[in-house]
PDB file of all heavy atoms in Angstrom:
ATOM      1  N   PRO A  10      87.776  97.457 109.200  1.00  0.00           N
ATOM      2  CA  PRO A  10      89.205  97.754 109.135  1.00  0.00           C
ATOM      3  C   PRO A  10      89.952  96.758 110.033  1.00  0.00           C
ATOM      4  O   PRO A  10      89.496  96.478 111.140  1.00  0.00           O
ATOM      5  CB  PRO A  10      89.306  99.168 109.723  1.00  0.00           C
ATOM      6  CG  PRO A  10      87.955  99.767 109.563  1.00  0.00           C
ATOM      7  CD  PRO A  10      86.983  98.624 109.637  1.00  0.00           C
ATOM      8  N   LYS A  14      91.485  92.100 104.899  1.00  0.00           N
ATOM      9  CA  LYS A  14      91.083  92.146 103.479  1.00  0.00           C
ATOM     10  C   LYS A  14      92.299  92.239 102.554  1.00  0.00           C
ATOM     11  O   LYS A  14      92.366  91.542 101.550  1.00  0.00           O
ATOM     12  CB  LYS A  14      90.157  93.351 103.219  1.00  0.00           C
ATOM     13  CG  LYS A  14      88.884  93.331 104.052  1.00  0.00           C
ATOM     14  CD  LYS A  14      87.922  94.449 103.646  1.00  0.00           C
ATOM     15  CE  LYS A  14      88.407  95.861 103.948  1.00  0.00           C
ATOM     16  NZ  LYS A  14      88.514  96.181 105.386  1.00  0.00           N
ATOM     17  N   SER A  31      91.916  98.081  95.411  1.00  0.00           N
ATOM     18  CA  SER A  31      91.805  98.531  96.792  1.00  0.00           C
ATOM     19  C   SER A  31      91.615 100.033  96.738  1.00  0.00           C
ATOM     20  O   SER A  31      92.536 100.768  96.360  1.00  0.00           O
ATOM     21  CB  SER A  31      93.081  98.191  97.573  1.00  0.00           C
ATOM     22  OG  SER A  31      93.213  99.082  98.680  1.00  0.00           O
ATOM     23  N   THR A  32      90.412 100.494  97.079  1.00  0.00           N
ATOM     24  CA  THR A  32      90.154 101.940  96.977  1.00  0.00           C
ATOM     25  C   THR A  32      91.036 102.707  97.969  1.00  0.00           C
ATOM     26  O   THR A  32      91.458 103.815  97.680  1.00  0.00           O
ATOM     27  CB  THR A  32      88.656 102.258  97.185  1.00  0.00           C
ATOM     28  OG1 THR A  32      88.163 101.513  98.289  1.00  0.00           O
ATOM     29  CG2 THR A  32      87.870 101.930  95.946  1.00  0.00           C
ATOM     30  N   GLY A  33      91.345 102.083  99.123  1.00  0.00           N
ATOM     31  CA  GLY A  33      92.245 102.739 100.081  1.00  0.00           C
ATOM     32  C   GLY A  33      93.631 102.939  99.467  1.00  0.00           C
ATOM     33  O   GLY A  33      94.221 104.020  99.570  1.00  0.00           O
ATOM     34  N   ASP A  34      94.144 101.911  98.770  1.00  0.00           N
ATOM     35  CA  ASP A  34      95.462 102.038  98.110  1.00  0.00           C
ATOM     36  C   ASP A  34      95.422 103.104  97.021  1.00  0.00           C
ATOM     37  O   ASP A  34      96.375 103.870  96.864  1.00  0.00           O
ATOM     38  CB  ASP A  34      95.893 100.700  97.469  1.00  0.00           C
ATOM     39  CG  ASP A  34      96.376  99.687  98.502  1.00  0.00           C
ATOM     40  OD1 ASP A  34      96.544 100.066  99.683  1.00  0.00           O
ATOM     41  OD2 ASP A  34      96.577  98.511  98.124  1.00  0.00           O
ATOM     42  N   LEU A  36      93.556 105.728  96.894  1.00  0.00           N
ATOM     43  CA  LEU A  36      93.543 107.061  97.515  1.00  0.00           C
ATOM     44  C   LEU A  36      94.907 107.413  98.115  1.00  0.00           C
ATOM     45  O   LEU A  36      95.384 108.538  97.964  1.00  0.00           O
ATOM     46  CB  LEU A  36      92.454 107.129  98.592  1.00  0.00           C
ATOM     47  CG  LEU A  36      91.017 106.980  98.067  1.00  0.00           C
ATOM     48  CD1 LEU A  36      90.036 106.800  99.220  1.00  0.00           C
ATOM     49  CD2 LEU A  36      90.620 108.189  97.231  1.00  0.00           C
ATOM     50  N   ARG A  37      95.546 106.432  98.783  1.00  0.00           N
ATOM     51  CA  ARG A  37      96.869 106.707  99.382  1.00  0.00           C
ATOM     52  C   ARG A  37      97.885 107.056  98.295  1.00  0.00           C
ATOM     53  O   ARG A  37      98.757 107.894  98.492  1.00  0.00           O
ATOM     54  CB  ARG A  37      97.345 105.517 100.226  1.00  0.00           C
ATOM     55  CG  ARG A  37      96.673 105.475 101.616  1.00  0.00           C
ATOM     56  CD  ARG A  37      97.227 104.361 102.487  1.00  0.00           C
ATOM     57  NE  ARG A  37      96.795 103.043 102.037  1.00  0.00           N
ATOM     58  CZ  ARG A  37      95.627 102.490 102.364  1.00  0.00           C
ATOM     59  NH1 ARG A  37      94.773 103.116 103.144  1.00  0.00           N
ATOM     60  NH2 ARG A  37      95.300 101.294 101.916  1.00  0.00           N
ATOM     61  N   TYR A  53      89.527 113.532 104.711  1.00  0.00           N
ATOM     62  CA  TYR A  53      88.577 112.501 105.151  1.00  0.00           C
ATOM     63  C   TYR A  53      89.314 111.337 105.812  1.00  0.00           C
ATOM     64  O   TYR A  53      88.925 110.860 106.875  1.00  0.00           O
ATOM     65  CB  TYR A  53      87.778 111.961 103.961  1.00  0.00           C
ATOM     66  CG  TYR A  53      86.815 112.956 103.346  1.00  0.00           C
ATOM     67  CD1 TYR A  53      87.143 113.655 102.197  1.00  0.00           C
ATOM     68  CD2 TYR A  53      85.563 113.178 103.920  1.00  0.00           C
ATOM     69  CE1 TYR A  53      86.257 114.560 101.616  1.00  0.00           C
ATOM     70  CE2 TYR A  53      84.666 114.082 103.353  1.00  0.00           C
ATOM     71  CZ  TYR A  53      85.020 114.768 102.201  1.00  0.00           C
ATOM     72  OH  TYR A  53      84.143 115.655 101.638  1.00  0.00           O
ATOM     73  N   ILE A  54      90.369 110.882 105.160  1.00  0.00           N
ATOM     74  CA  ILE A  54      91.085 109.694 105.649  1.00  0.00           C
ATOM     75  C   ILE A  54      91.669 109.942 107.043  1.00  0.00           C
ATOM     76  O   ILE A  54      91.495 109.124 107.947  1.00  0.00           O
ATOM     77  CB  ILE A  54      92.198 109.276 104.654  1.00  0.00           C
ATOM     78  CG1 ILE A  54      91.557 108.780 103.357  1.00  0.00           C
ATOM     79  CG2 ILE A  54      93.113 108.211 105.259  1.00  0.00           C
ATOM     80  CD1 ILE A  54      92.536 108.289 102.299  1.00  0.00           C
ATOM     81  N   GLY A  57      89.220 109.646 109.685  1.00  0.00           N
ATOM     82  CA  GLY A  57      88.519 108.360 109.825  1.00  0.00           C
ATOM     83  C   GLY A  57      87.162 108.339 109.146  1.00  0.00           C
ATOM     84  O   GLY A  57      86.350 107.453 109.400  1.00  0.00           O
ATOM     85  N   GLN A  58      86.909 109.333 108.268  1.00  0.00           N
ATOM     86  CA  GLN A  58      85.603 109.421 107.597  1.00  0.00           C
ATOM     87  C   GLN A  58      85.675 108.878 106.174  1.00  0.00           C
ATOM     88  O   GLN A  58      86.769 108.743 105.622  1.00  0.00           O
ATOM     89  CB  GLN A  58      85.134 110.884 107.552  1.00  0.00           C
ATOM     90  CG  GLN A  58      85.019 111.545 108.919  1.00  0.00           C
ATOM     91  CD  GLN A  58      84.036 110.830 109.829  1.00  0.00           C
ATOM     92  OE1 GLN A  58      82.923 110.515 109.410  1.00  0.00           O
ATOM     93  NE2 GLN A  58      84.453 110.535 111.046  1.00  0.00           N
ATOM     94  N   LEU A  59      84.510 108.631 105.593  1.00  0.00           N
ATOM     95  CA  LEU A  59      84.467 108.127 104.214  1.00  0.00           C
ATOM     96  C   LEU A  59      84.493 109.276 103.210  1.00  0.00           C
ATOM     97  O   LEU A  59      83.908 110.334 103.445  1.00  0.00           O
ATOM     98  CB  LEU A  59      83.191 107.305 103.988  1.00  0.00           C
ATOM     99  CG  LEU A  59      83.029 106.051 104.836  1.00  0.00           C
ATOM    100  CD1 LEU A  59      81.739 105.320 104.444  1.00  0.00           C
ATOM    101  CD2 LEU A  59      84.226 105.117 104.673  1.00  0.00           C
ATOM    102  N   ILE A  60      85.143 109.034 102.088  1.00  0.00           N
ATOM    103  CA  ILE A  60      85.142 109.974 100.957  1.00  0.00           C
ATOM    104  C   ILE A  60      83.732 109.923 100.344  1.00  0.00           C
ATOM    105  O   ILE A  60      83.121 108.842 100.297  1.00  0.00           O
ATOM    106  CB  ILE A  60      86.228 109.540  99.928  1.00  0.00           C
ATOM    107  CG1 ILE A  60      87.588 110.106 100.337  1.00  0.00           C
ATOM    108  CG2 ILE A  60      85.921 110.006  98.514  1.00  0.00           C
ATOM    109  CD1 ILE A  60      88.258 109.365 101.423  1.00  0.00           C
ATOM    110  N   MET A  65      83.905 108.337  94.865  1.00  0.00           N
ATOM    111  CA  MET A  65      84.403 106.962  94.923  1.00  0.00           C
ATOM    112  C   MET A  65      83.892 106.138  93.751  1.00  0.00           C
ATOM    113  O   MET A  65      84.613 105.312  93.195  1.00  0.00           O
ATOM    114  CB  MET A  65      83.956 106.284  96.231  1.00  0.00           C
ATOM    115  CG  MET A  65      84.623 106.795  97.471  1.00  0.00           C
ATOM    116  SD  MET A  65      86.415 106.912  97.377  1.00  0.00           S
ATOM    117  CE  MET A  65      86.902 105.269  96.979  1.00  0.00           C
ATOM    118  N   ASP A  86      88.223  95.500  97.123  1.00  0.00           N
ATOM    119  CA  ASP A  86      88.744  95.510  98.495  1.00  0.00           C
ATOM    120  C   ASP A  86      88.567  96.925  99.061  1.00  0.00           C
ATOM    121  O   ASP A  86      89.210  97.856  98.598  1.00  0.00           O
ATOM    122  CB  ASP A  86      90.233  95.092  98.386  1.00  0.00           C
ATOM    123  CG  ASP A  86      91.060  95.334  99.639  1.00  0.00           C
ATOM    124  OD1 ASP A  86      90.514  95.790 100.646  1.00  0.00           O
ATOM    125  OD2 ASP A  86      92.279  95.056  99.572  1.00  0.00           O
ATOM    126  N   GLY A  87      87.648  97.059 100.011  1.00  0.00           N
ATOM    127  CA  GLY A  87      87.397  98.387 100.586  1.00  0.00           C
ATOM    128  C   GLY A  87      86.306  99.137  99.841  1.00  0.00           C
ATOM    129  O   GLY A  87      86.050 100.312 100.108  1.00  0.00           O
ATOM    130  N   PHE A  88      85.657  98.489  98.919  1.00  0.00           N
ATOM    131  CA  PHE A  88      84.530  99.045  98.168  1.00  0.00           C
ATOM    132  C   PHE A  88      83.563  97.907  97.878  1.00  0.00           C
ATOM    133  O   PHE A  88      84.018  96.860  97.422  1.00  0.00           O
ATOM    134  CB  PHE A  88      85.008  99.657  96.843  1.00  0.00           C
ATOM    135  CG  PHE A  88      83.940 100.462  96.130  1.00  0.00           C
ATOM    136  CD1 PHE A  88      83.940 101.839  96.169  1.00  0.00           C
ATOM    137  CD2 PHE A  88      82.922  99.810  95.438  1.00  0.00           C
ATOM    138  CE1 PHE A  88      82.948 102.572  95.524  1.00  0.00           C
ATOM    139  CE2 PHE A  88      81.922 100.537  94.809  1.00  0.00           C
ATOM    140  CZ  PHE A  88      81.941 101.919  94.845  1.00  0.00           C
ATOM    141  N   PRO A  89      82.264  98.032  98.066  1.00  0.00           N
ATOM    142  CA  PRO A  89      81.551  99.203  98.560  1.00  0.00           C
ATOM    143  C   PRO A  89      81.618  99.342 100.083  1.00  0.00           C
ATOM    144  O   PRO A  89      81.820  98.359 100.793  1.00  0.00           O
ATOM    145  CB  PRO A  89      80.113  98.932  98.117  1.00  0.00           C
ATOM    146  CG  PRO A  89      79.999  97.431  98.126  1.00  0.00           C
ATOM    147  CD  PRO A  89      81.344  96.931  97.712  1.00  0.00           C
ATOM    148  N   ARG A  90      81.429 100.561 100.560  1.00  0.00           N
ATOM    149  CA  ARG A  90      81.409 100.826 102.000  1.00  0.00           C
ATOM    150  C   ARG A  90      80.082 101.434 102.433  1.00  0.00           C
ATOM    151  O   ARG A  90      79.893 101.684 103.621  1.00  0.00           O
ATOM    152  CB  ARG A  90      82.528 101.795 102.346  1.00  0.00           C
ATOM    153  CG  ARG A  90      83.823 101.107 102.806  1.00  0.00           C
ATOM    154  CD  ARG A  90      84.824 102.208 103.062  1.00  0.00           C
ATOM    155  NE  ARG A  90      85.816 101.881 104.048  1.00  0.00           N
ATOM    156  CZ  ARG A  90      87.035 101.445 103.771  1.00  0.00           C
ATOM    157  NH1 ARG A  90      87.380 101.189 102.536  1.00  0.00           N
ATOM    158  NH2 ARG A  90      87.907 101.238 104.739  1.00  0.00           N
ATOM    159  N   GLN A  94      76.984 102.977  97.373  1.00  0.00           N
ATOM    160  CA  GLN A  94      78.137 102.429  96.623  1.00  0.00           C
ATOM    161  C   GLN A  94      77.832 101.025  96.109  1.00  0.00           C
ATOM    162  O   GLN A  94      78.196 100.662  94.989  1.00  0.00           O
ATOM    163  CB  GLN A  94      79.399 102.395  97.499  1.00  0.00           C
ATOM    164  CG  GLN A  94      80.005 103.769  97.762  1.00  0.00           C
ATOM    165  CD  GLN A  94      81.307 103.699  98.548  1.00  0.00           C
ATOM    166  OE1 GLN A  94      81.928 102.645  98.683  1.00  0.00           O
ATOM    167  NE2 GLN A  94      81.726 104.840  99.073  1.00  0.00           N
ATOM    168  N   ARG A 129      99.442  97.178 113.591  1.00  0.00           N
ATOM    169  CA  ARG A 129      99.794  97.549 112.230  1.00  0.00           C
ATOM    170  C   ARG A 129     100.328  98.982 112.189  1.00  0.00           C
ATOM    171  O   ARG A 129     101.270  99.284 111.462  1.00  0.00           O
ATOM    172  CB  ARG A 129      98.561  97.428 111.313  1.00  0.00           C
ATOM    173  CG  ARG A 129      98.875  97.742 109.859  1.00  0.00           C
ATOM    174  CD  ARG A 129      97.706  97.461 108.947  1.00  0.00           C
ATOM    175  NE  ARG A 129      96.734  98.532 108.958  1.00  0.00           N
ATOM    176  CZ  ARG A 129      95.579  98.503 108.284  1.00  0.00           C
ATOM    177  NH1 ARG A 129      95.244  97.423 107.592  1.00  0.00           N
ATOM    178  NH2 ARG A 129      94.751  99.517 108.329  1.00  0.00           N
ATOM    179  N   ARG A 135     100.791 104.419 108.386  1.00  0.00           N
ATOM    180  CA  ARG A 135      99.529 105.008 107.924  1.00  0.00           C
ATOM    181  C   ARG A 135      99.032 106.037 108.925  1.00  0.00           C
ATOM    182  O   ARG A 135      98.945 105.768 110.122  1.00  0.00           O
ATOM    183  CB  ARG A 135      98.466 103.901 107.751  1.00  0.00           C
ATOM    184  CG  ARG A 135      98.514 103.268 106.386  1.00  0.00           C
ATOM    185  CD  ARG A 135      97.501 102.176 106.221  1.00  0.00           C
ATOM    186  NE  ARG A 135      96.117 102.591 106.453  1.00  0.00           N
ATOM    187  CZ  ARG A 135      95.072 101.904 106.044  1.00  0.00           C
ATOM    188  NH1 ARG A 135      95.250 100.773 105.367  1.00  0.00           N
ATOM    189  NH2 ARG A 135      93.856 102.312 106.305  1.00  0.00           N
ATOM    190  N   ASP A 137      96.196 107.016 109.499  1.00  0.00           N
ATOM    191  CA  ASP A 137      94.911 106.710 110.153  1.00  0.00           C
ATOM    192  C   ASP A 137      94.978 105.483 111.061  1.00  0.00           C
ATOM    193  O   ASP A 137      93.975 105.068 111.613  1.00  0.00           O
ATOM    194  CB  ASP A 137      93.801 106.545 109.098  1.00  0.00           C
ATOM    195  CG  ASP A 137      94.100 105.468 108.058  1.00  0.00           C
ATOM    196  OD1 ASP A 137      95.244 104.967 108.003  1.00  0.00           O
ATOM    197  OD2 ASP A 137      93.172 105.122 107.300  1.00  0.00           O
ATOM    198  N   ARG A 146      87.025 104.946 112.690  1.00  0.00           N
ATOM    199  CA  ARG A 146      86.845 104.084 111.512  1.00  0.00           C
ATOM    200  C   ARG A 146      85.966 102.883 111.844  1.00  0.00           C
ATOM    201  O   ARG A 146      85.147 102.445 111.020  1.00  0.00           O
ATOM    202  CB  ARG A 146      88.211 103.622 110.981  1.00  0.00           C
ATOM    203  CG  ARG A 146      88.969 104.766 110.278  1.00  0.00           C
ATOM    204  CD  ARG A 146      90.449 104.494 110.176  1.00  0.00           C
ATOM    205  NE  ARG A 146      90.752 103.330 109.375  1.00  0.00           N
ATOM    206  CZ  ARG A 146      91.831 102.572 109.552  1.00  0.00           C
ATOM    207  NH1 ARG A 146      92.703 102.836 110.509  1.00  0.00           N
ATOM    208  NH2 ARG A 146      92.038 101.542 108.775  1.00  0.00           N
TER     209      ARG A 146
HETATM  210  P1  AMP B   1      91.192 101.257 103.674  1.00  0.00           P
HETATM  211  O1  AMP B   1      92.617 101.186 103.225  1.00  0.00           O
HETATM  212  O2  AMP B   1      90.262 100.444 102.825  1.00  0.00           O
HETATM  213  O3  AMP B   1      91.027 100.977 105.143  1.00  0.00           O
HETATM  214  O4  AMP B   1      90.729 102.778 103.451  1.00  0.00           O
HETATM  215  C1  AMP B   1      91.338 103.852 104.153  1.00  0.00           C
HETATM  216  C2  AMP B   1      90.458 105.086 104.093  1.00  0.00           C
HETATM  217  O5  AMP B   1      90.244 105.468 102.729  1.00  0.00           O
HETATM  218  C3  AMP B   1      89.056 104.919 104.683  1.00  0.00           C
HETATM  219  O6  AMP B   1      89.039 105.097 106.092  1.00  0.00           O
HETATM  220  C4  AMP B   1      88.296 106.021 103.951  1.00  0.00           C
HETATM  221  O7  AMP B   1      88.594 107.297 104.482  1.00  0.00           O
HETATM  222  C5  AMP B   1      88.909 105.958 102.557  1.00  0.00           C
HETATM  223  N1  AMP B   1      88.178 105.000 101.684  1.00  0.00           N
HETATM  224  C6  AMP B   1      88.647 103.832 101.154  1.00  0.00           C
HETATM  225  N2  AMP B   1      87.706 103.219 100.430  1.00  0.00           N
HETATM  226  C7  AMP B   1      86.599 103.996 100.498  1.00  0.00           C
HETATM  227  C8  AMP B   1      85.274 103.895  99.992  1.00  0.00           C
HETATM  228  N3  AMP B   1      84.885 102.839  99.262  1.00  0.00           N
HETATM  229  N4  AMP B   1      84.406 104.890 100.276  1.00  0.00           N
HETATM  230  C9  AMP B   1      84.759 105.961 101.008  1.00  0.00           C
HETATM  231  N5  AMP B   1      85.976 106.117 101.551  1.00  0.00           N
HETATM  232  C10 AMP B   1      86.900 105.151 101.298  1.00  0.00           C
END
Side-chain angles (χ1 to χ4, degrees):
K14 301 187 293 293
S31 156
T32 44
D34 284 351
L36 296 169
R37 281 184 288 276
Y53 292 100
I54 293 182
Q58 302 300 313
L59 298 182
I60 275 78
M65 290 311 303
D86 167 2
F88 190 102
R90 265 178 152 98
Q94 287 184 15
R129 183 173 81 183
R135 273 179 57 162
D137 57 349
R146 287 160 63 208

